[in-house]
Every structure is written in structure tokens, then in C-alpha cells.
């Protein structure tokens, strides 16, 4: 037993050395810097920060480098580091209405106050490989102009003034906001916990669920009321000072979906809401999040729960890619004892089966 343990330790140590070698790759090729990853693989960094629940571009870039580009492994690394950090308190809610907008679009109205701002997007690019990128060609400088001072009110606020969309579901002032990072998940879950779960959830999982809800498995007929990306200021209430102190700014993407309307004998029909928020430019994530947020409000809105995307226990229990990775990848670890016990049982059952089938058939009694 001692020899097996020592041999296993040596194998693991050698595996670590080989992993470091493979991570570095060809020594004749310049090594990637964290600044290169942060600036040129920015969307990957944004995803790692969002699902790792930690806004730090340098650490996210380091995690991507250490994980050899495996974003889920990088998210795991960031989560593990985050768990070591002290908690000083909670910041004030960010005001996305005061965002310094870099991109802002709406598919519900062509002309909106503050205008449509395409910003950096793949939406209108040709899906053709660009060979110039392989040669390291410098791109053209972007067009510039004076920053607009026009207000950019949310589209949902415009609809809300005319009562065409439900009010944003209010939070109960006397009830503290839940924290999934400190308390175990329990059901039924309120919307604050659901949104936290969806913000940390695997993007691909949410994308599939959101897609399913559009195809009829959740009765979700959405319009992108507004998607905005830019910088917002973060403030922290300093008890000694007695007022909120600005800590800096973070880049966020916000999506507000305008969904199918509802009404009753006592309430006029109106549109309903779905909401998504994520670090950096994470449009696919926030759109998927908003779609699933709306489907998870089925019980709240008196709708029948008939689809997986409407089942909060199913969605929230399977959305976390770190947990999912642990359950799936632990199958790679040794399970010799468990397998041998099942193998022994199977052999015993097969032997009993063979004996039973080799027995001569019973003779019919003579008349």
C-alpha cells in the first residue's frame, strides 16, 4: 500500500510538471502576457469575471493563462481565490441609468431618447475568417466624435410611464438580500437568489434554456427592450463619513427583456419583464439570463409550470458550471473499490442466471 501511494504521488508530481510544460508550449514562441489576454481576449475575461463572481481583469487573465484557455477551469480558479478574500460589506446598488454608455440598442423602438449606439459588436460582421489577423495587421483607427450629454432613459421606464409594462418587482425593505456565496440554496427561492444564481450560471446552460423557452417550452415571447454596455460608478456607504464614497467604476452589460403581456378581470393587460446583468461586455449571457429570469417567474405570474426552464429547482440546481464540473470530472478519479464490488455482484447474478437457464424443464404430470 505504501509503494502504491508513493508511486501515485510521483505520478501526480510528474503530471503537474508536464501540465506546466504543455501550458507554456513552444519556447520559441513569445509567452502570452496578462495584458495581452485582458486586452485581446477581453470577452473571455468578462465571462470568467462574471461566472467567477469577482471583478478583477488581471486575476481573470491570470486564471485563463493558468487554465490553458479552459474558461470553466479559469472560473473555478477565480472562485477558489474569491473564497479567501475578506468581506468588508456591500456596495450601494449601481445606477445603470447613469451608465457611461459604450453600446446601447433596442429592438422595440427605432428612435429612443439618447439614440441607438451600436458600439463594438459582432452583430453586423460577416462570419468569414480574416486572414489579415494571422499576419498581425494593425486595424484602422475607430471613428470618434464628441461624447453626447443626452440622457439615456431605460426603454422599460418609458413603457412604464404609460402603464404598458408591469412595475419592476419591488424588494421587501425589511428582508435582507440573500447571499448564495454564504448560505446554502433552498427552495422556494425568491427573485434575489434566482438572479444571483443566474448571474453566476454557466452561459451555455442559460443559452440553451433561454432558447427552449422561445421555442414553446416556457411560453416566452420576448423583445429586447434594451441592451446597454458601459461603465457605472460603484459606491460604498462609509459609516464614519455618513455618506456613500465612490470606489471606482466597473464595466457592465444590462439587458431588459419585454415579454408577453398578461391581464385579468381586475387588471389591464401589460407587458412583463425579464432582467439580466453581468460584468464586462456579456450580451449573450445577459440576454439568456433575462429570458430565464422571466420563465422562472411563472408561479409568481400565475402561469402553469410545464417546462424545465420554468422549474426553479431544476434550473438553479444545475446551472453552476463549477458544481457541474465537479460532479462530471470526479468520474476520472479512482473508483476501483466501487467498481470491483459491482463487478463481483454482476458476476454472481450472471452465474445464477446461467444455472437457472441450464436446469431441465419440468415434466408434465402423466394423466
Amino acid at each position: 500500500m505504501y509503494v502504491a501511494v508513493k508511486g501515485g504521488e510521483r505520478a501526480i508530481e510528474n503530471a503537474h510538471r508536464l501540465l506546466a510544460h504543455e501550458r507554456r508550449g513552444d519556447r520559441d514562441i513569445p509567452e502570452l502576457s496578462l495584458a495581452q489576454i485582458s486586452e485581446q481576449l477581453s470577452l473571455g475575461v468578462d465571462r470568467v469575471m462574471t461566472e467567477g463572481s469577482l471583478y478583477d481583469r488581471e486575476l481573470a487573465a491570470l486564471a485563463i493563462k493558468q487554465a490553458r484557455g479552459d474558461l470553466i477551469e479559469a472560473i473555478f480558479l477565480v472562485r477558489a481565490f474569491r473564497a479567501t478574500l475578506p468581506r468588508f460589506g456591500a456596495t450601494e446598488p449601481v445606477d445603470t441609468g447613469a451608465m457611461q454608455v459604450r453600446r446601447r440598442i433596442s429592438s422595440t423602438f427605432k428612435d429612443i431618447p439618447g439614440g441607438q449606439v451600436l458600439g463594438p459588436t459582432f452583430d453586423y460582421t460577416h462570419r468569414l475568417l480574416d486572414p489579415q489577423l494571422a499576419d498581425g495587421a494593425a486595424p484602422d483607427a475607430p471613428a470618434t466624435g464628441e461624447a453626447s450629454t443626452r440622457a439615456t432613459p431605460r426603454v422599460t421606464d418609458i413603457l412604464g410611464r404609460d402603464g404598458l409594462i408591469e412595475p419592476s418587482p419591488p424588494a421587501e425593505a425589511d428582508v435582507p438580500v440573500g447571499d448564495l456565496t454564504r448560505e446554502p440554496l433552498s427552495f422556494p427561492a425568491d427573485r434575489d437568489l434566482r438572479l444571483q444564481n443566474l448571474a453566476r450560471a454557466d452561459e451555455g446552460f442559460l443559452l440553451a434554456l433561454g432558447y427552449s423557452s422561445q421555442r414553446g417550452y416556457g411560453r416566452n415571447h420576448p423583445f429586447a427592450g434594451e441592451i446597454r454596455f458601459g461603465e457605472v460608478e460603484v459606491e460604498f456607504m462609509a459609516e464614519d463619513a455618513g455618506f456613500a464614497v465612490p470606489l471606482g467604476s466597473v464595466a457592465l452589460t444590462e439587458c431588459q427583456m419585454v415579454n408577453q403581456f398578461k391581464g385579468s378581470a381586475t387588471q389591464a393587460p401589460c407587458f412583463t419583464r425579464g432582467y439580466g446583468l453581468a460584468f464586462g461586455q456579456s450580451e449573450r449571457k445577459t440576454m439568456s439570463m433575462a429570458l430565464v429570469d422571466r420563465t422562472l417567474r411563472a408561479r409568481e405570474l400565475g402561469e402553469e409550470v410545464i417546462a424545465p426552464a420554468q422549474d426553479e429547482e431544476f434550473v438553479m440546481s444545475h446551472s453552476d458550471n463549477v458544481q457541474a464540473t465537479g460532479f462530471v470530472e470526479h468520474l476520472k478519479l479512482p473508483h476501483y473499490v466501487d467498481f470491483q464490488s459491482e463487478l463481483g455482484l454482476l458476476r454472481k447474478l450472471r452465474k445464477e442466471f446461467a444455472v437457472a437457464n441450464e436446469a431441465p424443464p419440468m415434466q408434465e404430470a402423466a394423466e
Side-chain angles (χ1 to χ4, degrees), residues 103-121:
R103 171 166 160 80
R104 179 189 183 230
I105 59 169
S106 172
S107 66
T108 52
F109 297 102
K110 178 181 178 182
D111 299 313
I112 52 178
Q116 305 257 12
V117 182
L118 289 185
T121 177

Side-chain angles (χ1 to χ4, degrees), residues 95-267:
D95 181 9
T96 56
M99 177 183 288
Q100 295 182 0
V101 172
R102 295 182 57 193
R103 171 166 160 80
R104 179 189 183 230
I105 59 169
S106 172
S107 66
T108 52
F109 297 102
K110 178 181 178 182
D111 299 313
I112 52 178
Q116 305 257 12
V117 182
L118 289 185
T121 177
F122 290 111
D123 290 348
Y124 302 98
T125 60
H126 300 294
R127 264 59 178 199
L128 300 172
L129 290 174
D130 185 356
Q132 293 184 356
L133 294 178
D135 299 329
D140 296 333
T144 59
E146 292 186 7
S148 174
T149 59
R150 291 183 296 173
T152 56
R154 300 182 186 90
V155 169
T156 50
D157 293 341
I158 298 172
L159 292 171
R161 286 201 294 265
D162 295 328
L164 298 175
I165 192 169
E166 62 169 341
S168 184
E172 298 182 27
D174 299 333
V175 179
V177 177
D179 187 346
L180 287 181
T181 66
R182 293 192 166 193
E183 299 294 335
L185 184 62
S186 61
F187 300 100
D190 292 331
R191 193 167 183 240
D192 57 341
L193 291 178
R194 295 202 304 263
L195 288 173
Q196 286 181 51
N197 179 278
L198 297 180
R200 290 160 57 96
D202 181 75
E203 181 179 308
F205 181 78
L206 288 190
L207 177 63
L209 286 177
Y211 175 49
S212 74
S213 72
Q214 291 180 267
R215 297 187 62 247
Y217 298 90
R219 299 178 57 193
N220 196 352
H221 181 55
F223 298 92
E226 184 175 354
I227 300 169
R228 57 170 64 196
F229 160 59
E231 284 74 37
V232 295
E233 192 171 72
V234 178
E235 296 182 333
F236 183 80
M237 179 59 72
E239 295 182 0
D240 295 339
F243 56 86
V245 178
L247 300 179
S249 62
V250 297
L252 295 176
T253 300
E254 179 185 57
C255 175
Q256 299 216 38
M257 286 289 181
V258 177
N259 298 80
Q260 62 191 21
F261 51 83
K262 69 179 186 68
S264 66
T266 58
Q267 185 178 17

Side-chain angles (χ1 to χ4, degrees), residues 345-358:
L345 176 60
L346 178 60
R347 284 173 171 161
K348 179 181 179 182
L349 293 174
R350 287 176 62 85
K351 184 176 181 181
E352 293 176 354
F353 178 83
V355 170
N357 281 274
E358 288 174 0

Side-chain angles (χ1 to χ4, degrees), residues 329-341:
E329 295 201 359
H330 96 283
L331 298 174
K332 296 185 292 187
L333 301 178
H335 287 75
Y336 309 134
V337 175
D338 292 342
F339 180 74
Q340 291 299 323
S341 65

